[in-house]
Amino acid sequence: METLMAILIGCLFASGIYLMLRRSIVKLAIGLVLLSQSANLLIFTAAGLTRGNPPLVSAGESMPPLPYADPLPQALVLTAIVIGFGVLAFTLVLVKRVYQTVGTDDLDEMRSTDGFKD
Amino acid sequence: MKSLILQTATRSLVAVLLLFSIFLLLRGHDEPGGGFIGGLVAAAAFALYAIAFDVASTRRMLGMRPQMMIAIGLAMAGGSGVISLLASRPYLEHLWYHTDIPGFGEIHLGTFLLFDIGVFLVVIGVTLLVILTLSEE
Amino acid sequence: MSHDLLVALPIVIPLATGVIALLFYDSRDSQRVISVIGSAALLLAGIALLMTARADGILVTEMGGWPPPFGINFVADLFSSLMVLMTGLIAFTVSVYSLATMDPRRESFGYYPLFHILLMGITGSFLTGDMFNLFVWFEVMLISSFVLIALGGERPQLEGAIKYVALNLISSAILLGAIGLLYGLAGTLNMADLGMKLQDVDEPWLVTTVGMLFLVSFGIKAAVFPMFFWLPASYHTPPIAVTALIAALLSKVGIYALVRAFTLIFTQETSYTHQILLVVAGLTMITGVLGAVAQYEVRKLLSFHIISQIGYMLVGLAILSPLALAGSIFYIIHNMVTKTNLFLISGVAFRLQGTYELKKLGSLYRYHPWVSSLFFVSAMALAGMPPFSGFFAKLTLVRGSLELEHYAIVAVALLTSLLTLFSMTKIWTEGYWTPSPAEEEGKLPPGVDEFPGWTRNMVAMFLPIIILASLSVGMGILAQPVISLLVETAEQLLDPSLYIESVIGDEP
């Protein structure tokens, strides 16, 4: 399972980076989304996958029965997803504004702030 | 895009969705649910209304700017943590108040509820700020 | 005042200020007043925090009352408190300066609330004692800085924002992945707990690998070589007050995170990791300053200087001796003060002559000698001339490096210093000394009649500049007490057991 997840995460990272290397800002935004999602999966996998053992403490016990799934990475991933949601919302607004102002979605046309002159 | 079917359905759905969002908010006290998911459901209700009708009438229905909603929500969530500071406890430690209401049973009131309602408002505010800004042009 | 309150205040004050400003969304005037009061309160809280941290040792508060390593805790050691204090100072000066320079349109679109939420993200990053929480504060800071950079929606701003957003989000994704791997390795994310548990891991190379991921992620945020390209492409695009704020604070948060991570957590293979840091520091210094030398736009030139100075701040971390680290911290503080001031003064020059181009500026010394001398003080401080703060920061750093016989880095630092002096002289001669193009044609240069008297706007514009310039002189003249505080800070950083003990306590 971990191997499969590792391959999946690798593919997601690769496709995210591939999309970011394209010239369109929309693809850039999609690439960023894939990148943040693969990072979420990475947290989830790196912390260890336990199936079918929710960390629920039954009445009268002080600890869930071993082995149980670690709840912390899930909380971390949830937080990261929420943050990613906020960032994504902003990125979409930004992409739209850039498209409206610059009149193109080509990143190569957005180099007026890079050069050494002016 | 004006669809009579969608508009008629939306009128009743919005009420149900908003009620459900409040149910989720209160249920989050001891069970799955809470301010975040409740806020998303409520925001979905407003977004649905904006799709079925238009943005201007959604803003009227909302009654205040999304920015104001974020401000009130943040003030409630952040303020709920300050209460414990005043009681010389660490920031955001939540205090509980237990009381017995005759005929209803024992209820726990905590500063945490304030925090959750704050989150609820912030989530609605942020989501609607983005959705309404994007769909306005 | 209780320690809990003292450590929480630098986070609560900006939050409260931002929220109250947001509640007065329709009234610009109230927002302006609230913003100045809030940042002044943050400055006072920073002073109180530093004094208490110096007197009582490391302060810890547990968010929500959960004990570490389970809960999130906030820790104020000397380094954190110092950075919070500097954040307060920069916040106060820039918020006063904003009163005179920010345009009404940006003000009414939530400039002040964003300003304070950004500050909350920064102080939160400085104070948190939990790796994942650091990520959350980073995001708070990034989102508000994204909006601040794009606010106003002019074309260069949006173009800069796209690059800034894309590269910072990559860095966040790497950070998130690294945090996941770290949790997989150690089973904890509390920094003190990590510092303890990672000491006896069987495979230190794994920890070092994760450490390198952190280096890349924090490195992007701090704009170190070779990951700095987003900085000169975006920092100069927003209004000058925003530029000054983010230039002073954001990359320093990256540096802070690097220092914290590589003194507390990743200390297993210092000979390897810190060698890399040293090389990166040298290259950052030299590439940054070479970029600056080639520029003729004041804001871009100063942006490249930020990069080159990030290099100096890394040297102390790479060498890991108390004196060198103290020099680096001195450099961080000095840089926050002078760099902000240079940006603010270039804003004044822009106000006078309507341009940031060196070739179009000119004659400022002839008609505005006071503005020019304020610039001169900051520029010479940045270049490291005695008796200003930059000289002593560099001196401490160079002495620290020489003690441990790092001659190469000293040579690079001195060469960079020379080139910095060269480019500061370039601004001085082109912008202030020589006649402007208009004057060469026999006309009066623009802006001669500006500043008729001490109006309210004038005070708001010059008060911050005068405060910062006098601090830059003051830190030079009173270098001895400053350096002794900083050596104390560095010694505290280099002994992670102090940090760990104060967080975890006496438990095993």
Side-chain angles (χ1 to χ4, degrees), chain A residues 70 72 90 101 110 112-113 115, chain C residues 146 158-159 163 183 233 300:
Chain A
D70 187 350
L72 187 79
F90 173 76
T101 315
M110 298 176 198
S112 67
T113 62
Chain C
F146 291 166
L158 291 173
E159 288 186 11
K163 291 155 201 161
Y183 182 75
K300 275 191 153 179

Side-chain angles (χ1 to χ4, degrees), chain A residues 20 32 39-40 42-43 46-47 70 72-73 76 79-80 83 87 90 94 98 101-102 109-110 112-116 118, chain C residues 132 139 143 146-147 155-156 158-159 162-163 165-166 169-170 173 176-177 180 183-184 189 233 236-237 294-295 300 357:
Chain A
M20 295 189 74
L32 286 174
N40 288 343
L42 181 58
I43 293 191
D70 187 350
L72 187 79
L76 299 185
T79 316
I83 293 174
V87 172
F90 173 76
L94 182 67
V98 168
T101 315
V102 184
E109 313 263 310
M110 298 176 198
S112 67
T113 62
D114 285 352
F116 271 73
D118 305 50
Chain C
F132 190 77
E139 296 302 293
I143 294 181
F146 291 166
V147 187
R155 178 171 174 165
L158 291 173
E159 288 186 11
I162 273 281
K163 291 155 201 161
V165 168
L169 287 184
I170 295 177
L176 199 55
Y183 182 75
L189 285 174
H236 65 284
T237 56
Q295 290 291 339
K300 275 191 153 179
E357 295 297 326

Side-chain angles (χ1 to χ4, degrees), chain B residues 97-122:
Chain B
Y97 176 72
H98 299 267
T99 183
D100 251 322
I101 295 180
F104 189 77
E106 196 196 18
I107 61 164
H108 326 277
L109 277 178
T111 49
F112 187 75
L113 187 62
L114 222 55
F115 183 83
D116 233 10
I117 298 174
V119 171
F120 180 78
L121 290 175
V122 172

Side-chain angles (χ1 to χ4, degrees), chain C residues 402-456:
Chain C
L402 286 180
E403 264 177 13
L404 295 175
E405 302 180 347
H406 289 285
Y407 297 117
I409 201 76
V410 172
V412 172
L414 294 180
L415 176 64
T416 308
S417 201
L418 201 64
L419 289 170
T420 310
L421 182 62
F422 167 70
S423 65
M424 284 300 130
T425 322
K426 187 172 77 181
I427 303 187
W428 174 253
T429 47
E430 292 280 331
Y432 293 79
W433 196 257
T434 55
S436 77
E439 200 173 9
E440 278 174 348
E441 289 166 18
K443 287 178 279 184
L444 274 182
V448 172
D449 306 326
E450 287 264 345
F451 306 153
W454 286 101
T455 58
R456 265 203 310 190

Side-chain angles (χ1 to χ4, degrees), chain C residues 99-114:
Chain C
L99 298 179
T101 56
M102 195 47 62
D103 51 311
R105 205 166 65 88
R106 286 195 173 85
E107 283 186 325
S108 57
F109 273 98
Y111 170 70
Y112 292 111
L114 284 166

Side-chain angles (χ1 to χ4, degrees), chain C residues 305-335:
Chain C
H305 273 301
I306 301 176
I307 299 166
S308 106
Q309 276 134 13
I310 293 290
Y312 284 100
M313 299 168 200
L314 278 182
V315 172
L317 174 62
I319 292 174
L320 272 190
S321 79
L323 194 60
L325 196 55
S328 273
I329 301 169
F330 198 165
Y331 212 89
I332 296 177
I333 296 171
H334 142 76
N335 185 264

